[in-house]
């Protein structure tokens, strides 16, 4: 990449200042340092400009300004990408945090959200109607980044991935033009967006299918660490034939006296009595010292992991796909929890099954449609700690899992050094995705998943 000059930056400023005014932030402007922060405090990038856009037209202007000035481009939506791909040193950041609107059509069972909206924004609009769509497990995660790369979550068994509920999207391409991607408008871009991540443009509006779901049966079961073997073995047996309505997470959470084994069930079926019976099987796997399972609105259930996201901490993630939580996998996870490098770190296993597993792998860019588990290795540590030992721990976990892992891994959780594994995750869809990349972004303006760059 050629060096960025002051003249290049000035070119972009002259193009955008009349349109954005004080919403175009330069390094010396008040609010700039706050605007370049993301949830992972380990990320400390210093862009040249931050364009705080309010609508699609402004996004298009910012894309054109970056192109004409030769500035690297990145997009900040929810700001929840641990690797910091939302920010590029010396580049222009398109900041969508002011674009968080959500409009519900209760009769049509759809919702349209802007590109910066989080799950919390969407559910605040849909919950009064008793409607939801598939989301991740944390309310503060942006929907655009979650959806375009996949979208594992508590409703995956019943309603599929977040991307399986995407009905269409408005996208600003690398030349600044706007297209509508959907089955009736640029279906190839719509295909690529559903799993290919933000590599094809800036998603400024997303339209989702909604589902009736006034109540879920959900909560946290915490077991002593000593019962990890029995809990994980029982979990593997139960989820192997679980109905679509039951999605269960497991793993290890930090506790005052060391790691705790957890099960987090979500029952989304209308028959709560059947859900109680299913959860009773999970409860009987050990002796839970915390049992907070009960009926609640879906948005309330998503608050269970909020306490694990502490502003100011450093985060480092690794991930693998497992065909199941086999005895070998359970042993590796338990040993990793026992050797954990920080009292804040977690190991989380998410289940992929049901409706999500009945989609043709070629129907969307997301290719791994067989039932599986996605493991999240989340090293969390205070900024006063050096990263080395936490990185070594995270790397040791995935190394121990590699012999029993599937090819690839969830691209949303992979880092910039995991290109080969990311490419493997697209399997037979990779060539088509790379062709779409050449068609929609031939100059590689967007690089949310670096592997999708020829």
């Amino acid at each position: 990449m050629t060096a960025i000059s002051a003249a290049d930056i000035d070119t972009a400023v002259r193009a955008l200042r009349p349109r954005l005014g004080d919403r175009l932030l330069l390094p010396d402007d008040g609010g700039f340092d706050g605007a370049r922060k993301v949830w992972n405090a380990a990320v400390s990038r210093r862009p040249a400009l931050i364009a705080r856009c309010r609508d699609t037209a402004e996004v298009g202007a910012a894309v054109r300004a970056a192109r004409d000035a030769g500035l690297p481009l990145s997009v900040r939506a929810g700001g929840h990408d641990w690797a910091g791909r939302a920010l590029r040193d010396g580049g222009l950041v398109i900041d969508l945090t002011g674009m968080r609107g959500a409009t519900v059509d209760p009769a049509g069972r759809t919702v349209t959200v802007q590109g910066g909206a989080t799950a919390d924004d969407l559910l605040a609009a849909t919950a009064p109607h008793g409607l939801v769509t598939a989301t991740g497990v944390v309310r503060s995660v942006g929907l655009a980044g979650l959806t375009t790369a996949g979208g594992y979550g508590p409703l995956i068994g019943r309603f599929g991935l977040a991307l399986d509920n995407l009905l269409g999207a408005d996208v600003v391409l690398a030349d600044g033009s706007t297209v509508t991607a959907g089955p009736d408008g640029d279906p190839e871009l719509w295909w690529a967006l559903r799993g290919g991540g933000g590599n094809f443009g800036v998603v400024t509006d997303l339209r989702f299918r909604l589902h009736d779901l006034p109540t879920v049966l959900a909560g946290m079961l915490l077991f002593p660490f000593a019962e990890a073997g029995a809990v994980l073995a029982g979990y593997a047996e139960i989820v192997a034939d679980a109905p679509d309505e039951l999605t269960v997470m497991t793993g290890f959470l930090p506790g005052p006296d060391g790691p705790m084994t957890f099960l987090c069930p979500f029952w989304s079926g209308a028959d709560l009595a059947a859900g109680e019976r299913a959860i009773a099987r999970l409860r009987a796997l050990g002796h839970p010292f915390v049992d907070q399972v009960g009926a609640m609105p879906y948005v309330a259930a998503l608050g269970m992991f909020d306490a694990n996201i502490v502003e100011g901490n450093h985060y480092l993630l690794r991930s693998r796909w497992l065909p199941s939580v086999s005895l070998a996998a359970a042993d590796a996870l338990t040993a990793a929890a026992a050797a954990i490098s920080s009292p804040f770190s977690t190991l989380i296993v998410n289940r992929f099954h049901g409706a999500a597993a009945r989609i043709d792998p070629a129907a969307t860019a997301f290719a791994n449609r067989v039932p599986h588990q996605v493991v999240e290795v989340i090293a969390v540590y205070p900024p006063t700690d050096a990263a080395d030992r936490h990185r070594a721990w995270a790397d040791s976990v995935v190394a121990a899992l590699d012999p029993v892992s599937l090819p690839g891994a969830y691209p949303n959780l992979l880092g910039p050094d995991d290109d080969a594994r990311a490419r493997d995750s697209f399997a037979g869809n990779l060539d088509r995705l790379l062709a779409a990349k050449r068609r929609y972004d031939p100059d590689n303006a967007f690089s949310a998943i670096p592997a999708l760059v020829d």
Side-chain angles (χ1 to χ4, degrees):
M1 188 181 73
T2 58
I4 301 163
S5 69
D8 297 330
I9 296 169
D10 186 59
T11 296
V13 171
R14 284 187 280 107
L16 292 175
R17 182 67 77 193
R19 182 185 285 266
L20 299 182
D22 61 6
R23 289 184 288 110
L24 180 67
L25 299 179
L26 279 69
D28 291 334
D29 291 337
F32 179 87
D33 284 337
R36 70 184 182 92
K37 290 181 179 178
V38 292
W39 72 283
N40 183 4
V43 175
S44 182
R45 307 271 169 78
R46 195 164 184 84
L49 298 169
I50 299 175
R52 310 194 89 167
C53 300
R54 288 181 177 168
D55 56 35
T56 298
E58 290 185 351
V59 171
V63 169
R64 289 189 294 272
R67 179 197 62 191
D68 294 344
L71 296 180
L73 189 61
S74 64
V75 182
R76 175 182 175 158
H80 219 272
D81 170 35
W82 73 272
R85 287 166 282 205
L87 307 170
R88 295 180 70 176
D89 286 324
L92 189 153
V93 178
I94 295 177
D95 187 328
L96 304 183
T97 55
M99 297 175 59
R100 296 174 60 174
T103 304
V104 182
D105 175 4
R109 293 294 194 270
T110 64
V111 61
T112 300
V113 299
Q114 291 182 291
T118 65
D120 215 14
D121 298 320
L122 180 148
L123 293 170
T126 63
H129 305 283
L131 299 171
V132 303
T133 194
T135 70
V137 298
V138 177
R139 293 183 295 189
S140 59
V141 169
L143 288 166
L146 174 85
T147 301
T148 55
Y152 289 76
L155 304 180
I156 197 169
R158 188 168 178 202
F159 301 133
L161 291 163
L163 65 81
D164 295 327
N165 293 271
L166 185 66
L167 299 174
D170 293 343
V171 185
V172 176
L173 299 179
D175 62 1
S177 64
T178 302
V179 298
T180 297
D184 301 318
D186 209 326
E188 187 64 11
L189 180 58
W190 186 49
W191 178 88
L193 284 176
R194 291 177 295 156
N199 277 61
F200 306 95
V202 186
V203 179
T204 57
D205 287 282
L206 305 97
R207 288 170 290 283
F208 291 99
R209 180 184 301 109
L210 292 175
H211 310 274
D212 291 297
L213 188 65
T215 303
V216 294
L217 189 60
M220 193 70 71
L221 298 170
L222 297 179
F223 299 83
F225 181 72
E227 296 184 349
V231 170
L232 291 179
Y235 162 87
E237 180 180 348
I238 289 170
V239 301
D241 60 359
D244 293 358
E245 293 86 354
L246 179 65
T247 295
V248 188
M249 300 166 59
T250 190
F252 299 92
L253 294 174
D257 301 313
M260 306 174 293
T261 311
F262 82 91
L263 293 173
C264 183
F266 282 79
W267 174 267
S268 58
D271 187 348
L272 295 187
E276 291 282 9
R277 291 191 294 273
I279 290 167
R281 291 182 64 197
L282 295 168
R283 191 177 281 122
L285 295 177
H287 300 85
F289 58 88
V290 171
D291 184 342
Q292 296 175 334
V293 178
M296 64 187 77
Y298 179 65
V299 66
L302 291 192
M304 286 186 289
F305 289 92
D306 287 354
N308 291 95
I309 301 174
V310 179
E311 185 175 351
N313 273 341
H314 287 197
Y315 293 81
L316 187 150
L317 272 68
R318 298 289 186 265
S319 182
R320 290 294 185 268
W321 276 332
L322 302 176
S324 65
V325 180
S326 63
L327 178 59
D331 286 347
L333 290 168
T334 304
I340 208 158
S341 66
S342 161
F344 309 107
S345 298
T346 61
L347 292 166
I348 297 176
V349 181
N350 291 281
R351 175 71 173 158
F352 181 99
H353 71 120
R358 290 194 288 270
I359 303 293
D360 181 350
T364 67
F366 189 96
N368 186 7
R369 293 294 185 165
V370 299
H372 62 269
Q373 316 279 341
V374 58
V375 178
E376 300 179 40
V377 182
I378 309 175
V380 188
Y381 53 99
T384 51
D385 274 12
D388 293 352
R389 66 188 179 91
H390 305 289
R391 182 180 295 109
W393 172 75
D395 288 342
S396 72
V397 179
V398 292
L401 292 172
D402 277 341
V404 293
S405 294
L406 296 169
Y410 184 26
N412 250 356
L413 300 179
L414 294 176
D417 299 327
D418 283 323
D419 281 5
R421 187 170 292 277
R423 286 194 169 217
D424 287 345
S425 71
F426 296 111
N429 290 339
L430 179 61
D431 288 343
R432 184 176 173 184
L433 262 177
L434 293 174
K437 179 66 172 175
R438 291 189 292 269
R439 173 179 172 181
Y440 294 104
D441 184 21
D443 296 324
N444 295 321
F446 303 102
S447 57
I449 300 176
L452 296 182
V453 176
D454 274 342

